[in-house]
Amino acid sequence: MITDFEDRRNIWLMPAVLVLVLIAVFLNLGLHPLSMEEPRRALIALEMKFNDNLWVPTQLGEPYYRKPPFYNWIIIAGYQMFGNTSEFATRFLSVVSYLATGLLCFWFGRKYVNVTVGLFSGLLFLTANDLLFVFTLVSGEIDLFYSLITYLGFLVIFHFGEKQNYYLLFLSVYLLGAIGTLTKGLPSPVFVAISLTTYFIAEGKWRQLVSLAHLVGILLYFGLVGGYFWMYQQHNDVSGYFFSEDSLIGQSTERTVLSKGIGALLIHFISFPISLLKVLAPASLFSIFLFRKDLLQMLRANRYIWFCTLIFCANVLVYWVSPGTASRYVYMLFPLATTVLFYAFCQASGTSFHRLLTGFFGVVITLFALASVTLPFIPTLEGINGLLVTSAGSFLCFAILLWLYWQHSQHRLLLFLVAVIGARLLFDLVVLPHRAKHGPVVEDKQLAYDILEKTGGQPVKIMGNSMISRTTIFYLERESEEVLSFDDDPQRGTFYLARLEDLANERYIRLLDFEFRDQAFALVRFEP
């Protein structure tokens, strides 16, 4: 079932597959509006850009303390690269981070195991269900970039540890840890502490943890992180990062058992492994090959595989006992998992489980082909340009893949992964155009343009502490190139977005009605 990539005659297939991945993740990337956490990240980046201040992140003009601004700098870099603040520019560097993580997974697997393990562990990471079909679609969020930085931190521990170059090890891991801290806060020092402790205890070199090299790394970390907070203090009171209601500490503890309680912990402890198997598929299917008597001996046979196993197990425990954990919080562990799982798959070649997977993968490709045929008959997809051609073309492609799958047993896994990538391409061509025209975030985006039309581009404020969709706010700020702000003392002749219940005793002209979270809002202008 496994493709023998040690045979150099077959290696030409991989560049074609990688080109297919690139097309799949960038096709129509900027077509649909920002959603979920994307508008928050983009909004903060916009305001830093408008304020010409890269040190103080704000949201609606108010200091934002839940995350330091490093990822906002990444978004701003995307805006500078493309010369605009489009959805594509917002998402671009995050998708590049996802691709870079897959490349690192390949490179280290090839270097420390073999080219086959490198290629397929990288591809299995790139085709993980949650990444390929969910998060690369809303990639303006923080987690793909953060996962790249954190995963690279794991890799430098092993790489420089193997060379016994401990100064470079500690300097590299703490440099990446500082970037991670300035990206997402307190999870980064936890990852660094757990990973370093795990590695050096496993290697029997725990004295390195109290070495001068380690001290130099720690000093670099505090120098970089402390340097940012010192610069922040030059512009705003830094205590908000640590003592405000939305502080970094509060953000990091709100998803733990301290906040959620024992009941939530018990439910999460059972559901988390199941959820992890689902979001890591198809690589998670190979977990069946871990059920063997000589598992530890097999994993210990290769130092890099054993390292990946230890680092995954040590770090995943933190999230296993944290009830508020979402799948995106552990993306940095995915390439570790795909490397170990594919290695286990290789070590069990020819078993009955391989034959079972062969049949299952064939069924999945068949289902992809049949799903293609049904597309023109789905009412919600009416109006998608070229739907019939897309349906026929995709059916033909999946049918050819299915024929090749059964004809070429040595390429079956690769052909299956190509089919998965093809399903994402089909998603790009059908679902993304639909999302660009329908759904709540489309309405939120349109609301921003309706407001701009009613106000003639004049400044708009938000009355009191009312909160509306951040998608709407992002597009309002982007188009007006001005930061919206809250106003507790409404001024006559000024435009406001306000809850109707807050307007009972005011004299105003009502220009536009809308709802957000079942509350009635209106665009109003108070009479002079």
Side-chain angles (χ1 to χ4, degrees):
M1 182 176 181
I2 177 176
T3 303
D4 183 10
F5 272 101
E6 301 296 348
D7 181 352
R8 296 296 174 177
R9 292 173 299 174
N10 295 326
I11 201 144
W12 64 270
L13 292 170
M14 191 53 65
V17 177
L18 294 177
V19 169
L20 195 63
V21 172
L22 287 173
I23 296 172
V25 295
F26 285 118
L27 181 64
N28 286 338
L29 180 64
L31 193 61
H32 52 295
L34 301 184
S35 61
M36 298 174 67
E37 285 292 301
E38 287 185 305
R40 187 200 300 272
R41 305 298 163 216
L43 180 65
I44 294 169
L46 269 186
E47 294 193 7
M48 293 174 76
K49 191 170 181 289
F50 293 159
N51 293 332
D52 195 24
N53 187 331
L54 295 178
W55 303 109
V56 180
T58 64
Q59 182 177 225
L60 286 165
E62 300 291 328
Y64 181 77
Y65 298 116
R66 293 172 74 86
K67 297 284 191 299
F70 200 96
Y71 182 66
N72 303 114
W73 298 343
I74 296 297
I75 294 178
I76 292 171
Y79 293 160
Q80 295 298 112
M81 285 176 60
F82 291 98
N84 60 54
T85 54
S86 65
E87 292 85 350
F88 186 91
T90 300
R91 295 169 173 143
F92 177 76
L93 289 176
S94 187
V95 174
V96 169
S97 300
Y98 151 81
L99 295 170
T101 304
L103 182 62
L104 284 171
C105 188
F106 153 71
W107 185 261
F108 275 77
R110 181 201 64 81
K111 181 176 178 64
Y112 291 107
V113 188
N114 59 50
V115 69
T116 303
V117 169
L119 287 167
F120 276 102
S121 59
L123 265 182
L124 286 166
F125 167 79
L126 293 173
T127 54
N129 170 50
D130 215 42
L131 294 172
L132 190 62
F133 291 98
V134 180
F135 221 75
T136 49
L137 300 173
V138 287
S139 53
E141 296 192 29
I142 205 168
D143 296 277
L144 293 177
F145 173 77
Y146 180 69
S147 295
L148 169 64
I149 296 301
T150 307
Y151 175 56
L152 185 55
F154 301 150
L155 296 179
V156 298
I157 292 174
F158 181 81
H159 180 71
F160 291 119
E162 290 297 285
K163 296 177 179 296
Q164 298 187 31
N165 191 332
Y166 298 118
Y167 275 95
L168 271 180
L169 186 158
F170 287 115
L171 287 171
S172 299
V173 77
Y174 277 106
L175 169 63
L176 293 163
I179 293 173
T181 301
L182 296 178
T183 300
K184 203 172 184 180
L186 296 184
S188 281
V190 175
F191 277 123
V192 170
I194 290 175
S195 302
L196 286 174
T197 302
T198 300
Y199 175 73
F200 282 112
I201 288 179
E203 290 291 301
K205 298 178 179 178
W206 62 268
R207 287 183 178 84
Q208 291 297 329
L209 295 173
V210 292
S211 66
L212 178 60
H214 194 182
L215 176 61
V216 171
I218 292 172
L219 291 175
L220 174 65
Y221 173 85
F222 281 107
L224 293 172
V225 175
Y228 164 71
F229 287 121
W230 181 84
M231 287 298 300
Y232 185 95
Q233 180 65 33
Q234 310 310 304
H235 301 270
N236 193 48
D237 184 6
V238 76
S239 65
Y241 263 121
F242 307 102
F243 304 112
S244 67
E245 184 178 348
D246 288 329
S247 67
L248 281 175
I249 297 173
Q251 169 77 356
S252 300
T253 59
E254 68 180 9
R255 295 179 177 88
T256 66
V257 67
L258 297 174
S259 174
K260 300 293 183 179
I262 296 297
L265 171 61
L266 294 175
I267 295 172
H268 176 75
F269 193 80
I270 296 169
S271 64
F272 178 72
I274 300 170
S275 174
L276 195 58
L277 290 173
K278 180 183 71 173
V279 299
L280 195 53
S284 57
L285 295 172
F286 297 153
S287 59
I288 198 167
F289 298 108
L290 297 176
F291 293 92
R292 47 189 292 169
K293 293 180 180 179
D294 63 340
L295 175 62
L296 289 179
Q297 180 182 348
M298 182 265 289
L299 295 174
R300 284 177 176 270
N302 182 278
R303 287 179 56 77
Y304 179 64
I305 295 299
W306 184 236
F307 170 81
C308 290
T309 303
L310 291 177
I311 296 301
F312 176 87
C313 292
N315 284 287
V316 81
L317 284 174
V318 175
Y319 292 93
W320 200 350
V321 296
S322 300
T325 294
S327 61
R328 66 182 185 272
Y329 300 162
V330 293
Y331 284 164
M332 67 292 295
L333 304 181
F334 279 22
L336 302 175
T338 59
T339 301
V340 173
L341 291 172
F342 183 75
Y343 180 80
F345 167 77
C346 292
Q347 303 305 308
S349 180
T351 66
S352 57
F353 291 134
H354 280 80
R355 291 189 289 274
L356 180 64
L357 281 179
T358 297
F360 177 75
F361 290 163
V363 169
V364 172
I365 298 174
T366 303
L367 292 175
F368 287 158
L370 294 176
S372 301
V373 176
T374 67
L375 294 177
F377 304 100
I378 300 175
T380 55
L381 297 180
E382 290 181 4
I384 301 296
N385 294 331
L387 185 60
L388 190 60
V389 174
T390 301
S391 173
S394 59
F395 172 77
L396 180 61
C397 289
F398 285 126
I400 292 172
L401 280 173
L402 187 61
W403 180 81
L404 292 171
Y405 180 84
W406 292 115
Q407 291 296 314
H408 300 277
S409 59
Q410 75 274 24
H411 294 310
R412 280 180 181 157
L413 179 56
L414 180 62
L415 289 167
F416 170 70
L417 294 178
V418 168
V420 172
I421 299 166
R424 166 59 196 264
L425 276 167
L426 184 59
F427 193 93
D428 293 340
L429 292 170
V430 175
V431 178
L432 293 188
H434 180 267
R435 284 189 180 180
K437 296 180 179 179
H438 306 282
V441 291
V442 177
E443 296 173 4
D444 291 342
K445 179 179 179 179
Q446 183 57 48
L447 174 60
Y449 287 94
D450 292 342
I451 292 170
L452 289 166
E453 181 181 359
K454 294 290 185 181
T455 61
Q458 296 182 51
V460 181
K461 295 186 177 183
I462 300 177
M463 183 173 171
N465 60 354
S466 304
M467 194 62 199
I468 65 171
S469 165
R470 286 184 180 84
T471 299
T472 301
I473 294 171
F474 168 77
Y475 287 106
L476 275 172
E477 289 199 2
R478 187 183 77 173
E479 298 305 318
S480 65
E481 298 187 356
E482 291 186 357
V483 176
L484 273 69
S485 60
F486 295 105
D487 190 351
D488 292 322
D489 184 21
Q491 305 297 310
R492 302 298 170 182
T494 303
F495 292 101
Y496 286 87
L497 301 171
R499 287 180 300 202
L500 290 182
E501 64 184 55
D502 296 333
L503 294 169
N505 299 318
E506 301 284 351
R507 297 178 59 191
Y508 56 87
I509 301 173
R510 195 156 146 186
L511 302 169
L512 183 67
D513 293 327
F514 61 97
E515 289 188 358
F516 179 66
R517 294 180 179 172
D518 297 324
Q519 289 188 314
F521 282 79
L523 169 67
V524 302
R525 184 174 63 195
F526 291 102
E527 295 183 359

